[in-house]
């Protein structure tokens, strides 16, 4: 059977095939950039119309008491099962950057007398920038190490380690359970960045005894461009979580408007300022696509899509070098290095013009995200075909 | 002429009367809480439909290059003229709380060797909480003083003063030009919180040589619940603005994805994480109501509404005590203290049930916002009438 026919057959048998109809996507587009910006669930537009027209216009200020104020915790509890967290430990709001700052400063305060912050040396940039800033303010030193060396490097000097679950360039899936356990043995806390795994790879924060985690909701959770991020604080730290963005929304009794800050009980104290309701309720609607599907199902499809894509690439695009692990120690993307680094960005533009949308990351990497809720086997077949055609021009 | 007739005549002559049609407001509701949550401009719903359906769904990831990435600065430049700022000094994003943190930490770094942060002792709570947090991280002491004493208290020990332009409870308008000048004489920097003045009271940040300012956009700018806040950095500080939330969006070359942070040129370095596009473009649409109206016009109407409301209160609701200045040293609200403090919250609920919506602030204050773009003289007449009725029950 040809790979083209095989793609058709795989799509026909795909138990998730029907989910694509829940997204507003041009059928002619092969959208392989859900690792950067998830596609729009159809429910979002409808919800926004309701939030603006009925809640904001209709109820005006009263809507704050009628669901808006509690939305960050309520929606956090919808994200929680996707990352293996029991209720009450996840809150939605602010950006990943801002939540990283909260988590890192709180972590070093909880682990005093340890001068070092370990940082995944392949981290997405913002994590490193924020680690440097937090270290500067709290008198710590940031030490950049490869994730696979963290277990050896962690010591009684380590306050906290900040680790990306999935490497955003290569797609490598790091060993969250193992690294967390090794750090814990050294008495270090962990902050995991789940941006590239949430909604694509099963995560078991509670079971792995992770201390803190952050993640964005605009990739595999499809919350919309720049939608609110989330922050996980393990139950055991909730009472002592001492974060620096002590906004009124995290106060124990915000509407008492007292002069001194007193952090609220539970995850509320991870909140900062007034929550951004339009974006937050757009995310709420986007999360409805998870009502009848599990992360395990999406993971299985993502791996199958990747395996098939790799076969297509091997068969048809021999010039590109796959930088993502071929075994299943990968997240939910396949990254390939283009033979001529200087041309890689142009190649992605050409692919996009041909209706195959991925993205480019320096210096020479083309990334293809495999969002199982809407990517078809035919899409990855087509991507490999177009890559082959471009490599022959 | 009765006050009722006078209200009718004032509305008939009001040059801004036509603006109300640009808002999605029930004609039977007297909405006097625009100082807490502005009413929805009709343009917002339409814009969101376009952003979700055409930009996100239609262009997908490409939209980041087609306007999304630059939106924080572009929309900042739309807010700028409303606060007397030349272009390039205002950026939109994050919450007021988060922007206060950026501004305060940057300010004390710019003014080293001065151990004290002065804080407006009537501040909205979040400002004080953030001042305390910033002080803790940077080794400063927060000193709470009444705004009218700041000029006397400022000294060579003062790094920065954080002052609210309008007192959120009483509605007192503080002397921004005078306080700023006095602080500058003492070598102190200023951070002004414009939440209750932007879009209601003329502000001249450049002319007054204010150093930094923050403000929200969900009150008199009608951006929507929790819409992105703004941050002003005076041109002279742009190159040295050294803020702690060093996210990738503030980087000089964010998509180069380099390991070390280098703040971008201009106001870009005040950005932190990925901007929240749905809310930001909702705000963009909301700002269209300013295309044919000036803050001076809105200010004139807000004062006239207040003057008329005070006359109505004096004539009909003698039990309440007006706590907002009767002269024009006030912002854009009238606050009254209810004779029985314990009943004040209930009174506001009853007013709301009768279609007059203001809000309550502890311990006994009822606030009535006077958003000139949609509040009618008939609304304030009605509010006074209902207050009278309630005071007689």
């Amino acid at each position: 059977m040809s790979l083209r026919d095989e793609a058709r057959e795989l799509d026909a048998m795909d138990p998730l095939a029907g989910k694509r109809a829940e997204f507003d996507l041009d059928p002619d587009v092969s959208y392989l950039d859900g690792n950067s910006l998830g596609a729009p669930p159809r429910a979002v537009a409808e919800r926004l119309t309701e939030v603006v027209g009925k809640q904001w216009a209709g109820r005006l200020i009263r809507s704050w008491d009628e669901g808006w104020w509690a939305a960050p915790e309520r929606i956090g509890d919808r994200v929680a099962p996707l990352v293996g967290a029991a209720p009450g430990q996840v809150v939605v709001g602010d950006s990943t950057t801002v939540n990283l700052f909260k988590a890192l400063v709180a972590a070093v305060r909880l682990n005093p007398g340890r001068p070092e912050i370990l940082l995944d040396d392949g981290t997405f940039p913002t994590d490193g920038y924020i680690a440097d800033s937090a270290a500067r303010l709290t008198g710590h030193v940031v030490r950049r190490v490869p994730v696979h060396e963290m277990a050896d490097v962690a010591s009684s000097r380590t306050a906290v380690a900040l680790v990306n679950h999935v490497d955003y360039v290569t797609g490598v899936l790091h060993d969250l359970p193992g690294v967390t356990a090794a750090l814990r043995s050294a008495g270090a806390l962990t902050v995991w960045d789940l941006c590239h795994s949430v909604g694509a790879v099963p995560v078991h924060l509670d079971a792995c005894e992770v201390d803190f985690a952050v993640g964005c909701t605009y990739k595999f959770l499809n919350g919309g461009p720049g939608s609110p991020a989330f922050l996980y604080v393990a139950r055991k730290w909730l009472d002592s979580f001492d974060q620096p963005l002590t906004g009124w929304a995290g106060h124990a009794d915000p509407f008492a408007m007292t002069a001194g800050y007193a952090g609220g009980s539970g995850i509320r104290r991870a909140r900062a300022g007034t929550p951004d309701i339009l974006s937050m309720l757009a995310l709420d609607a986007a999360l409805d696509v998870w009502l009848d599907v599990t992360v395990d199902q999406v993971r299985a499809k993502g791996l199958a899509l990747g395996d098939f894509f790799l076969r297509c690439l091997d068969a048809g695009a021999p010039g590109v070098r796959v930088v993502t692990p071929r075994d299943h120690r990968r997240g939910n993307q396949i990254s390939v290095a283009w033979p001529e680094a200087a041309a890689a960005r142009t190649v992605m533009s050409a692919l996009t013009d041909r209706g195959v949308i991925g993205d480019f990351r320096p210096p020479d990497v083309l990334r293809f995200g495999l969002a199982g809720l809407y990517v078809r086997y035919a899409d990855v077949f087509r991507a490999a075909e177009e890559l082959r055609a471009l490599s022959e021009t």
Side-chain angles (χ1 to χ4, degrees), chain A:
Chain A
M1 195 185 326
S2 72
L3 287 163
R4 183 186 304 273
D5 288 343
E6 199 174 336
R8 197 172 295 124
E9 191 159 297
L10 286 165
D11 279 321
M13 297 187 312
D14 174 15
L16 295 182
K19 296 297 286 183
R20 187 175 161 108
E22 296 178 29
F23 292 84
D24 186 5
L25 270 175
D26 181 343
D28 294 335
V29 167
S30 291
Y31 189 57
L32 301 171
D33 206 14
N35 51 312
S36 189
L37 174 67
R42 292 186 191 278
V44 169
E46 194 180 330
R47 179 71 67 88
L48 282 171
T49 299
E50 178 196 326
V51 171
V52 173
K54 297 206 171 135
Q55 296 179 10
W56 182 10
R59 300 295 294 163
L60 292 156
I61 191 71
R62 290 165 289 194
S63 289
W64 279 113
D65 290 332
E66 294 168 357
W68 288 356
W69 190 259
E73 289 96 338
R74 179 180 64 76
I75 302 170
D77 276 345
R78 299 192 70 192
V79 172
L82 303 175
V83 293
Q89 302 171 100
V90 177
V91 70
V92 168
D94 297 313
S95 64
T96 304
T97 295
V98 166
N99 284 311
L100 281 165
F101 186 78
K102 294 176 193 167
L104 279 176
V105 172
V108 300
R109 285 174 172 169
L110 280 167
N111 213 0
R114 292 169 169 248
E116 210 169 65
I117 297 172
L118 293 188
L119 175 68
D120 167 1
D121 75 347
T123 187
F124 183 78
T126 215
D127 306 56
Y129 305 156
I130 288 294
D132 286 340
S133 177
R136 175 182 172 194
L137 281 165
T138 59
H140 286 73
V141 171
V142 175
R143 186 169 169 192
R144 289 165 152 79
V145 294
V147 177
H148 65 270
E149 292 178 14
M150 278 199 177
D152 293 333
V153 171
S155 74
S156 61
R157 296 175 49 79
T158 312
V160 61
L162 170 54
V163 198
N164 291 245
H165 194 193
V166 175
D167 185 298
Y168 78 105
V169 179
T170 65
V172 166
L173 177 68
H174 293 303
D175 174 16
L176 185 149
V179 171
T180 302
L183 285 159
R184 191 168 57 249
S185 301
L189 300 175
T190 45
V191 179
W192 283 92
D193 180 335
L194 307 176
C195 284
H196 286 81
S197 58
V198 61
V201 177
V203 184
H204 305 287
L205 294 178
D206 285 354
C208 296
E209 296 182 55
V210 167
D211 300 292
F212 309 105
V214 301
C216 78
T217 64
Y218 51 75
K219 299 180 188 289
F220 297 118
L221 296 186
N222 311 300
S227 56
F230 66 88
L231 172 57
Y232 163 89
V233 177
R235 187 168 307 284
K236 70 174 172 178
W237 299 123
L238 284 174
D239 289 343
S240 49
F241 189 67
D242 181 12
Q243 61 101 347
L245 296 173
T246 47
W248 77 302
H251 195 280
D253 190 1
F255 292 93
M257 312 238 160
T258 54
Y261 183 77
S265 64
I267 192 66
R268 179 197 283 182
R269 68 171 61 188
R271 291 173 60 165
T274 306
D276 193 334
I277 294 302
L278 299 185
S279 292
M280 196 166 288
L281 297 184
L283 167 62
D284 191 33
L287 291 172
D288 287 351
V289 300
W290 294 94
L291 290 174
D292 60 357
V293 69
T294 67
V295 178
D296 286 337
Q297 287 175 283
V298 170
R299 173 62 168 166
K301 180 167 171 197
L303 288 172
L305 282 166
D307 290 342
F308 183 66
F309 188 33
L310 290 169
R311 285 176 53 215
C312 295
L313 288 171
D314 290 343
V320 303
R321 179 171 56 86
V322 174
V323 299
T324 304
R326 286 172 175 273
D327 61 29
H328 290 178
R329 284 175 294 187
R330 65 177 189 243
N332 203 33
Q333 73 195 55
I334 298 291
S335 299
V336 302
W338 192 253
E340 301 160 80
R345 190 190 294 268
T346 312
V347 166
M348 186 49 76
S349 295
L351 269 179
T352 300
D353 290 343
R354 292 163 180 232
V356 176
I357 304 178
D359 66 16
F360 163 80
R361 285 293 174 264
D364 59 355
V365 172
L366 310 181
R367 301 192 307 175
F368 299 94
L370 306 168
L373 293 171
Y374 51 78
V375 171
R376 301 161 297 198
Y377 292 90
D379 293 322
V380 298
F381 171 78
R382 181 181 176 195
E385 284 287 287
E386 295 290 1
L387 277 172
R388 181 184 56 70
L390 285 164
S391 69
E392 288 169 356
T393 58

